[in-house]
Amino acid sequence: MSKLVDNLCAKISALFLLLLLFAICIAGMLTTLYLYEENYYNLNQFNFYASQSCRQLNREYAVYAFEDYFLYEQAEDKSQWDTYQTAYVHDLLNPETSNFLFDVVNEQKEIVFSTYDENATYGITVACGTYESDGEQFTIIAHIRSPLLPGDDYYQTAYWLEKVFNNRYLILWCSCIGLLLCLALFIFLLTAAGHKRNVSGISLNWQDKIPYDLYLCLAVWLEWMLLRILPYYGGHSLWSTIVGVTLIATAMMSVMAAALLTTATRLKSGVLVRNTIIYRILHFIWFLLRKGARSLGIMFGSLPVTGKWLLTTILLFFANFLLFLGVFHHRNNGLWLFLLLVMYLCILRFGSIITIQMHRLFDYCWRLAQGEGEEQLDVSGMYAPLRRHGENLNNIGKGISAAVESSLKSERLKTELITNVSHDIKTPLTSIINYIDLLKKEPQTSQKTTEYLAVLERQSAKLKKLTEDLIEASKASTGNIKVQLRRTNVNELLQQTIAEYQDRFAAAHLETVISSNQDEIFIPADGRLLWRVIDNLLNNVCKYSLSHTRVYFQVTSLQQKVYISIKNISREPLNISADELMERFVRGDASRNSEGSGLGLSIARSLTELQHGSLHLEIDGDLFKAQLVFDQAANWTEDAATQNLEETLRPPNPQ
Amino acid sequence: MANILICDDEKDIVSALKIYLNAEGYTTFAAYTGEEALQIIEKQPIHLVLMDIMMPGMDGVTATAKLRESSNVPVILLTAKGEDTDKVLGLNIGADDYVTKPFNPVELLARVKSQLRRYMQLGGAAANENVLTSGNIHLNDESKMVTVDGEPVNLTPLEYNILKLLMENQGKVFSSAQIYAKVWNSDAFGADGTVAVHIRHLREKIEIDPANPRYLKVVWGQGYKLEKGD
């Protein structure tokens, strides 16, 4: 099928076949119509003399017959008329050869003229016309021979009519089938329209390139002209009618077929609307308008913001003024009012869009300031100046998140490095500690050996503590520790902690003084971590306190906050600021001789912050004060805290 | 006496441990990978395994898991990581105890002894209504005797009463005030750190490493509890 669709020969043959078949069908249908008029489909026997064709011929011949009679009446010498041979004006009425013999009867029923032949036989005798001459009426009586003599219209008509009559059903069926065939061919042509061999898609031929509206007008005009000449072909005789109508109908059909085929091609390729003169004109006008608007837009866009605002305000003012003039000075002011309303709605819409976009920008800017600029602002659909501003903000946000990400990454890497290195140090350290221990059990050769071994032991213990603190410090500062906040009794925890340190306090000759403004004070904290915070603080207290002094522990609950403070007197003068003390590897004694890594306070602060608390140090002369501040657990529930915790512990997005 | 298998890829640590354990009279076997350890266990009657976690080839956790398929010999893990998750994982796959590197030889020996005693006792003391048990702690209320890993421990009456209270309610957390009220039989008002100090002393007597207690745990900011024994 697709091959056939692409085949030009097949299409041309189909088109010719279509027109031919159509012509045949039209002829056949006209014939059928005629046969139906004659009622031939109800008759079994063909009778020419009763047919309309015969009557038509009778009428035509009667006119000639009366003319002959009239000439005869006018003639001076009537003798020559007797012979009938030479004098007849119309040779076709020659009684010798004609099938039409006639009598002319006047008003008194007298035969005034006759070509009647008594020896001949007749199929029908009929009155076929009344004519007036000099106020007298004459009737023509026709006698039609039977059988007909060959040579004239009667014989011809009867001959063909009889053939048609004999094939009347065949003609009917042929017409019907032909019509169906026409339809099929037409559908085929519609499908095939626009397809070309070796060319994919729809290709247009020359007539598809004529503007469609022009083409349609031409086609309609042609059809109209053809329709106009149709009546000239009707009425003369059956055959001329059939042939004429068939020709015109076929011509009309070919015009229509061409129009429909080109319509199909255009529909398929989608150029139906575009290839019209009207469309082209409208398109050109639209193009001009757009170009004008764009150049105006470029001019407007190149103005600075203040200029735009000024121009807009002036234009709006003028528009407003003109519209108000219209409203007050025209009788028909409904239209003006409507225009005014439309203008105000436009201003409202534009203003609200600008406001919304500015609000989004402000909102994003605020989030950026809060450090939440990970996601980008969607600037599509914003007005140009605002969009540029939004893009700038986006770039700032990108820069910030890149910086945060890289710092997070480096911090993570640092923690990983510290953990791994500490781990690798631990294994040889185990051997060192164990073999020092073993050496100590061996017989000592000299006093010096014992001394050196003691140094080794002390230093290896220090190294051990240092590696452990290092890991803890790096974990605590990066939040790489599980935190489970629970309602924790501060007084209970403090007592437990002090109990752990009782022996060391006693050894350092320190007295503890504990006071609390309430019996039970609860804070949301992870007991294990809080113990390590206080552990680190008390470790310092033991190391650096002046002996025979008191250490004060105070728990105060005040305005939803809980303050835990530990105060002690330093043995050495503290010539260092509280902030410096908090830094890693910084220690109270400049000589660094005492045990400890210098990480204790840093660990304590990191762990406190992981529990949403804060650690403050205060130095007042020799008085050293460490204060922990937590929220009170009065309105605090564990569920909410767990949720918060999950949020804080969630790893930062890789984005 | 008892056969102990030491498994660590660090040869110096293995030989140091050998010296300590041999000095205590134990027979020692050395393995340097997990596979070697499993082979030795198949051939020799081993009573205790010291297993390092980080080793080339089969690591300590995998080796312990394999070992547990056929044997219930006590396993003490030696770990350099000291991460809570590693400890939990080790104990979950069937290790009995763990020691973090760098470890104290005395503490390690104490743990070895404790595990061995528990393993060799085979069921331990006969069940007695008056004997409270938690892990390796036995408290006989008739004779007022307390043993840890089979060794008798001297406790003051107050310490004894505290331990009894906690052993009767294993796994339950008591605050200082509650313990004071039950043991001292008086109001906790003004008791301050008394209970905490007693508990610390008690812990020093029954725990190998009081800073990392196995039995008597400090629930910071809540109170104290005795871990439920198995």
Side-chain angles (χ1 to χ4, degrees):
Chain A
M1 184 69 195
S2 67
K3 236 179 185 177
L4 219 56
V5 163
D6 287 344
N7 196 332
L8 188 64
C9 280
K11 280 196 276 185
I12 290 172
S13 340
L15 187 63
F16 274 110
L17 203 62
L18 171 71
L19 292 178
L20 195 68
L21 265 175
F22 186 75
I24 291 170
C25 282
I26 291 293
M29 276 162 68
L30 286 172
T31 313
T32 308
L33 204 66
Y34 172 77
L35 288 171
Y36 179 78
E37 284 277 299
E38 291 281 14
N39 205 16
Y40 278 176
Y41 286 100
N42 293 329
L43 295 176
N44 294 327
Q45 195 67 43
F46 177 67
N47 184 0
F48 170 69
Y49 301 104
S51 73
Q52 280 184 23
S53 294
C54 185
R55 260 174 270 153
Q56 175 80 25
L57 282 171
N58 286 349
R59 276 196 292 278
E60 283 173 23
Y61 274 58
V63 175
Y64 302 139
F66 184 70
E67 277 176 14
D68 275 2
Y69 168 69
F70 189 73
L71 287 172
Y72 169 76
E73 275 288 287
Q74 304 289 317
E76 303 281 317
D77 179 14
K78 286 190 176 52
S79 62
Q80 55 177 317
W81 287 85
D82 293 333
T83 61
Y84 276 91
Q85 296 287 336
T86 53
Y88 282 112
V89 180
H90 294 97
D91 187 47
L92 50 92
L93 293 183
N94 187 342
E96 299 288 316
T97 55
S98 178
N99 286 316
F100 183 87
L101 302 171
F102 64 95
D103 299 323
V104 183
V105 181
N106 64 7
E107 280 174 349
Q108 287 79 40
K109 306 283 183 196
E110 291 164 332
I111 297 173
V112 289
F113 186 82
S114 177
T115 60
Y116 186 72
D117 182 1
E118 283 172 8
N119 300 324
T121 50
Y122 299 100
I124 192 167
T125 299
V126 66
C128 55
T130 307
Y131 303 92
E132 218 179 84
S133 174
D134 297 335
E136 201 174 356
Q137 282 200 340
F138 299 92
T139 306
I140 306 291
I141 308 280
H143 310 276
I144 313 299
R145 281 184 202 267
S146 169
L148 293 165
L149 294 175
D152 68 352
D153 288 345
Y154 278 92
Y155 183 82
Q156 289 287 325
T157 310
Y159 175 77
W160 284 109
L161 209 53
E162 190 170 8
K163 286 210 162 182
V164 167
F165 177 82
N166 290 338
N167 295 313
R168 59 192 190 274
Y169 290 105
L170 186 69
I171 290 169
L172 181 62
W173 284 118
C174 281
S175 307
C176 290
I177 293 166
L179 259 186
L180 285 177
L181 269 174
C182 279
L183 201 63
L185 278 171
F186 191 63
I187 289 171
F188 165 73
L189 282 171
L190 282 183
T191 342
H195 289 284
K196 221 175 194 177
R197 183 183 296 231
N198 298 334
V199 179
S200 64
I202 303 298
S203 45
L204 303 172
N205 60 17
W206 61 269
Q207 65 162 343
D208 297 326
K209 285 170 186 157
I210 300 169
Y212 189 60
D213 39 5
L214 188 69
Y215 192 99
L216 271 190
C217 285
L218 262 171
V220 168
W221 179 77
L222 259 176
E223 296 277 9
W224 174 242
M225 294 312 284
L226 285 168
L227 215 57
R228 288 252 320 257
I229 57 170
L230 188 62
Y232 294 111
Y233 280 89
H236 285 300
S237 75
L238 175 62
W239 303 122
S240 62
T241 305
I242 288 178
V243 170
V245 171
T246 302
L247 280 175
I248 290 171
T250 309
M252 283 173 78
M253 176 63 192
S254 28
V255 172
M256 203 165 78
L260 283 173
L261 286 179
T262 187
T263 307
T265 314
R266 283 158 203 256
L267 272 177
K268 282 188 212 170
S269 66
V271 296
L272 186 72
V273 178
R274 252 183 296 153
N275 190 14
T276 58
I277 291 174
I278 295 171
Y279 176 82
R280 282 179 193 185
I281 290 169
L282 287 177
H283 190 262
F284 183 67
I285 291 170
W286 172 241
F287 171 76
L288 281 183
L289 280 177
R290 217 172 43 174
K291 203 168 177 190
R294 189 175 296 166
S295 48
L296 267 179
I298 289 169
M299 270 166 64
F300 186 73
S302 63
L303 285 174
V305 177
T306 42
K308 280 177 198 165
W309 191 81
L310 207 64
L311 193 64
T312 314
T313 317
I314 290 168
L315 282 176
L316 279 177
F317 176 77
F318 270 108
N320 209 2
F321 180 71
L322 287 176
L323 287 175
F324 265 110
L325 272 186
V327 169
F328 289 121
H329 287 275
H330 280 260
R331 193 167 300 161
N332 188 8
N333 57 10
L335 176 72
W336 294 100
L337 264 179
F338 175 73
L339 284 176
L340 200 63
L341 198 68
V342 166
M343 193 186 83
Y344 283 149
L345 282 178
C346 285
I347 293 172
L348 193 67
R349 188 182 141 70
F350 188 71
S352 44
I353 288 175
I354 291 254
T355 313
I356 288 167
Q357 290 180 355
M358 273 166 76
H359 175 77
R360 279 173 59 204
L361 284 176
F362 291 157
D363 189 52
Y364 182 67
C365 209
W366 190 81
R367 273 188 291 146
L368 213 57
Q370 302 293 312
E372 299 167 5
E374 291 98 359
E375 57 185 292
Q376 297 273 293
L377 184 68
D378 182 18
V379 293
S380 56
M382 280 196 181
Y383 289 114
L386 296 181
R387 192 173 62 231
R388 272 198 297 281
H389 186 59
E391 280 163 359
N392 290 340
L393 283 182
N394 273 345
N395 285 337
I396 292 172
K398 254 188 235 166
I400 290 177
S401 46
V404 168
E405 200 183 313
S406 76
S407 81
L408 269 181
K409 198 177 165 190
S410 74
E411 191 70 17
R412 227 181 3 251
L413 282 177
K414 207 160 70 187
T415 313
E416 237 167 70
L417 184 74
I418 290 172
T419 315
N420 287 339
V421 168
S422 308
H423 172 254
D424 287 349
I425 290 170
K426 273 180 184 176
T427 307
L429 194 56
T430 311
S431 288
I432 293 169
I433 290 172
N434 285 332
Y435 282 97
I436 288 169
D437 192 57
L438 287 172
L439 259 184
K440 267 166 66 187
K441 288 178 182 164
E442 293 296 311
Q444 307 294 319
T445 47
S446 70
Q447 178 66 31
K448 279 194 174 165
T449 323
T450 323
E451 219 173 273
Y452 297 165
L453 265 178
V455 173
L456 277 179
E457 190 178 22
R458 204 170 57 238
Q459 294 301 326
S460 60
K462 203 167 164 181
L463 195 57
K464 177 184 168 184
K465 175 90 177 115
L466 184 63
T467 50
E468 279 166 1
D469 280 1
L470 207 55
I471 293 178
E472 185 157 359
S474 75
K475 271 198 219 159
S477 66
T478 51
N480 208 348
I481 286 182
K482 267 189 196 166
V483 185
Q484 279 183 307
L485 296 186
R486 318 196 72 160
R487 267 173 69 91
T488 306
N489 188 338
V490 184
N491 291 338
E492 175 93 38
L493 186 117
L494 214 53
Q495 277 173 20
Q496 289 173 328
T497 320
I498 293 165
E500 297 296 316
Y501 270 87
Q502 215 196 25
D503 290 351
R504 288 185 65 183
F505 282 145
H509 304 288
L510 295 172
E511 196 184 322
T512 54
V513 180
I514 308 170
S515 64
S516 170
N517 70 341
Q518 276 174 35
D519 271 353
E520 289 193 324
I521 298 172
F522 290 97
I523 58 167
D526 186 327
R528 215 164 33 87
L529 297 184
L530 192 54
W531 142 248
R532 267 149 74 178
V533 170
I534 299 177
D535 181 29
N536 275 308
L537 293 176
L538 290 192
N539 209 5
N540 282 349
V541 167
C542 288
K543 269 190 280 180
Y544 301 118
S545 279
L546 183 66
S547 54
H548 302 289
T549 56
R550 277 178 281 275
V551 183
Y552 287 84
F553 297 88
Q554 196 167 24
V555 184
T556 318
S557 169
L558 197 70
Q559 290 173 343
Q560 302 299 314
K561 292 271 183 195
V562 176
Y563 303 88
I564 307 164
S565 66
I566 302 169
K567 283 174 274 192
N568 68 296
I569 304 293
S570 176
R571 189 167 55 235
E572 308 282 336
L574 289 163
N575 49 5
I576 192 167
S577 77
D579 289 342
E580 273 180 285
L581 266 182
M582 207 73 106
E583 277 171 31
R584 287 181 203 173
F585 302 113
V586 172
R587 295 190 319 204
D589 52 341
S591 61
R592 284 175 161 254
N593 254 338
S594 59
E595 60 162 317
S597 56
L599 289 169
L601 285 175
S602 161
I603 293 173
R605 188 176 59 171
S606 299
L607 290 178
T608 311
E609 280 163 3
L610 280 179
Q611 300 170 78
H612 309 301
S614 57
L615 170 63
H616 308 282
L617 300 183
E618 246 175 66
I619 292 169
D620 190 358
D622 284 344
L623 179 71
F624 181 85
K625 180 182 173 188
Q627 189 174 48
L628 295 164
V629 185
F630 284 95
D631 284 333
Q632 207 164 12
N635 303 320
W636 179 86
T637 59
E638 284 184 19
D639 286 347
T642 317
Q643 208 173 356
N644 275 337
L645 189 72
E646 274 165 14
E647 270 167 32
T648 50
L649 280 187
R650 198 180 302 147
N653 267 341
Q655 184 51 47
Chain B
M1 231 172 120
N3 296 335
I4 297 176
L5 172 65
I6 306 160
C7 181
D8 197 320
D9 57 322
E10 196 71 27
K11 291 199 167 82
D12 292 334
I13 291 179
V14 173
S15 41
L17 285 174
K18 263 186 162 177
I19 295 166
Y20 283 115
L21 294 170
N22 288 337
E24 293 290 320
Y26 300 112
T27 317
T28 53
F29 295 87
Y32 301 103
T33 63
E35 288 94 340
E36 275 179 43
L38 290 177
Q39 281 167 12
I40 292 171
I41 288 165
E42 267 179 31
K43 289 173 195 154
Q44 307 288 341
I46 299 292
H47 301 108
L48 186 127
V49 181
L50 291 172
M51 182 83 77
D52 185 28
I53 287 187
M54 297 265 285
M55 282 187 292
M58 188 187 284
D59 65 29
V61 173
T62 318
T64 309
K66 287 232 162 162
L67 179 61
R68 275 286 169 268
E69 288 170 8
S70 58
S71 163
N72 64 342
V73 63
V75 175
I76 298 176
L77 291 176
L78 307 176
T79 159
K81 279 192 170 177
E83 303 264 356
D84 290 347
T85 47
D86 291 331
K87 291 173 188 170
V88 171
L89 177 69
L91 295 180
N92 275 347
I93 54 131
D96 298 85
D97 207 347
Y98 60 86
V99 177
T100 42
K101 286 180 187 175
F103 46 78
N104 182 350
V106 182
E107 185 199 331
L108 180 75
L109 281 177
R111 288 186 191 272
V112 167
K113 273 182 202 162
S114 163
Q115 290 298 333
L116 272 178
R117 227 176 272 125
R118 195 166 139 197
Y119 183 61
M120 307 288 256
Q121 250 175 14
L122 297 170
N128 188 327
E129 272 185 20
N130 291 319
V131 174
L132 294 168
T133 306
S134 168
N136 267 1
I137 305 175
H138 300 281
L139 183 144
N140 191 327
D141 205 23
E142 255 175 18
S143 59
K144 308 288 178 200
M145 268 268 286
V146 176
T147 60
V148 177
D149 298 329
E151 303 231 315
V153 180
N154 284 325
L155 297 181
T156 66
L158 280 173
E159 286 165 3
Y160 176 84
N161 284 339
I162 293 170
L163 183 62
K164 194 183 152 198
L165 172 71
L166 293 177
M167 283 190 82
E168 279 167 348
N169 300 283
Q170 290 179 21
K172 192 183 165 191
V173 178
F174 286 92
S175 68
S176 302
Q178 284 170 324
I179 293 174
Y180 195 86
K182 299 227 172 177
V183 175
W184 275 260
N185 272 327
S186 73
D187 201 6
F189 183 73
D192 284 355
T194 321
V195 174
V197 172
H198 277 91
I199 296 256
R200 199 171 67 81
H201 289 149
L202 181 57
R203 237 169 52 218
E204 277 162 8
K205 287 177 182 174
I206 63 170
E207 298 285 353
I208 293 169
D209 180 8
N212 289 302
R214 277 185 301 173
Y215 305 111
L216 212 176
K217 299 241 162 125
V218 186
V219 185
W220 298 101
Q222 317 275 339
Y224 303 92
K225 69 167 178 179
L226 197 79
E227 199 71 0
K228 246 188 174 133
D230 39 33

